[in-house]
Amino acid sequence: DVVMTQTPPSLSVAIGQSVSISCKSSQSLVHSDGKTYLNWLLQNPGQSPKRLIYQVSNLGSGVPDRFSGTGSEKDFTLKISRVEAEDLGVYHCVQATHVPHTFGAGTKLELK
Amino acid sequence: EVKLEESGGGLVQPGMSVKLSCATSGFIFSDYWMEWVRQAPGKGLEWVAEIRNKANNYATYYGKSVKGRFTISRDDSKSIVYLQVNSIRSEDTGIYYCTSGRDSYAHVDWFAYWGQGTLVTVSS
């Protein structure tokens, strides 16, 4: 199975600050169709997850452009520019290139 | 508006069975692969199962921890996906979410839509 290593496990930030979260996979996430199915999700406290980013860098529907995703092959990063209060929660990376699909352990974003 | 609504959770005794349902609306269900994802209390997300659509022969896939005990199925006429959980264990306790997979035309990727989840508690 593909292991997703997500760091850091937690982040303490001030509103307006920018932060980055890393996700590294144990295998390349490039699918045989040429696409890379790496997603980023946000789970606000007590809520279901919401998809932020798909295929490494594409913004999900209604997701503000202060979120951005970069990376390739096995190394991916989510950047949040100008953190807002609604961004607090747990961020998850998840790969859908390989079955079984696998999640990172999550990064908890908290207010400083 | 897209909706996914899970049901069927509750208190279940170890070794028993439970069947979870996820009723959907607002998208062409038959075009989509569908997924179940779970979350143990205070833990991260774990992918559980996937069922593909008719065009992909309704192929099914499972996570290692549930393979042989869980069965995912779907009823395209009702736009519902199911998860049959057998021989349930304490470590199966958690919130079970249904979520969308990719669609037939690769226009929509995995995890675009989520339900609110249904809580399964395994205890005697």
Side-chain angles (χ1 to χ4, degrees):
Chain A
D1 297 1
V2 177
V3 176
M4 303 296 288
T5 302
Q6 189 176 338
T7 56
S10 64
L11 276 171
S12 185
V13 300
I15 299 299
Q17 187 179 345
S18 294
V19 296
S20 292
I21 300 169
S22 171
C23 188
K24 297 183 190 295
S25 59
S26 60
Q27 300 176 31
S28 172
L29 298 186
V30 179
H31 194 273
S32 56
D33 65 7
K35 297 180 180 179
T36 301
Y37 295 107
L38 185 283
N39 305 268
W40 290 96
L41 314 175
L42 167 59
Q43 190 171 23
N44 295 122
Q47 302 294 312
S48 302
K50 172 188 174 182
R51 190 182 70 178
L52 299 173
I53 302 278
Y54 66 96
Q55 287 186 40
V56 181
S57 60
N58 295 288
L59 282 181
S61 177
V63 176
D65 61 6
R66 63 177 180 278
F67 292 94
S68 61
T70 58
S72 62
E73 296 281 345
K74 298 166 59 176
D75 195 349
F76 306 93
T77 301
L78 173 71
K79 182 177 180 181
I80 312 168
S81 303
R82 307 177 307 279
V83 168
E84 298 188 6
E86 66 190 38
D87 300 338
L88 304 180
V90 180
Y91 289 80
H92 308 271
C93 62
V94 53
Q95 66 82 20
T97 296
H98 303 284
V99 174
H101 305 324
T102 44
F103 287 84
T107 296
K108 187 172 185 179
L109 190 65
E110 299 174 301
L111 260 185
K112 189 178 289 184
Chain B
E1 181 190 7
V2 171
K3 289 185 180 180
L4 290 79
E5 185 171 358
E6 302 91 339
S7 60
L11 181 62
V12 187
Q13 291 186 334
M16 301 299 284
S17 298
V18 66
K19 188 171 185 176
L20 308 181
S21 301
C22 174
T24 74
S25 62
F27 63 104
I28 303 174
F29 180 82
S30 58
D31 282 348
Y32 281 72
W33 303 1
M34 293 298 296
E35 324 282 319
W36 284 95
V37 170
R38 70 181 179 181
Q39 187 168 38
K43 302 296 184 183
L45 299 171
E46 179 188 10
W47 179 80
V48 171
E50 174 180 275
I51 185 165
R52 299 186 177 179
N53 59 4
K54 184 177 180 180
N56 292 275
N57 299 314
Y58 298 119
T60 58
Y61 300 89
Y62 299 93
K64 280 184 180 174
S65 62
V66 307
K67 198 168 185 178
R69 298 189 299 121
F70 289 21
T71 302
I72 188 171
S73 61
R74 63 190 294 160
D75 185 336
D76 287 351
S77 68
K78 296 180 180 178
S79 299
I80 297 177
V81 59
Y82 302 99
L83 187 69
Q84 176 70 43
V85 180
N86 296 332
S87 304
I88 205 165
R89 306 167 181 168
S90 58
E91 55 263 38
D92 296 321
T93 292
I95 299 173
Y96 285 72
Y97 297 100
C98 77
T99 178
S100 58
R102 70 186 305 177
D103 73 325
S104 286
Y105 309 99
H107 293 161
V108 180
D109 258 24
W110 284 267
F111 312 118
Y113 313 129
W114 289 77
Q116 85 289 346
T118 187
L119 176 63
V120 175
T121 302
V122 183
S123 176
S124 53

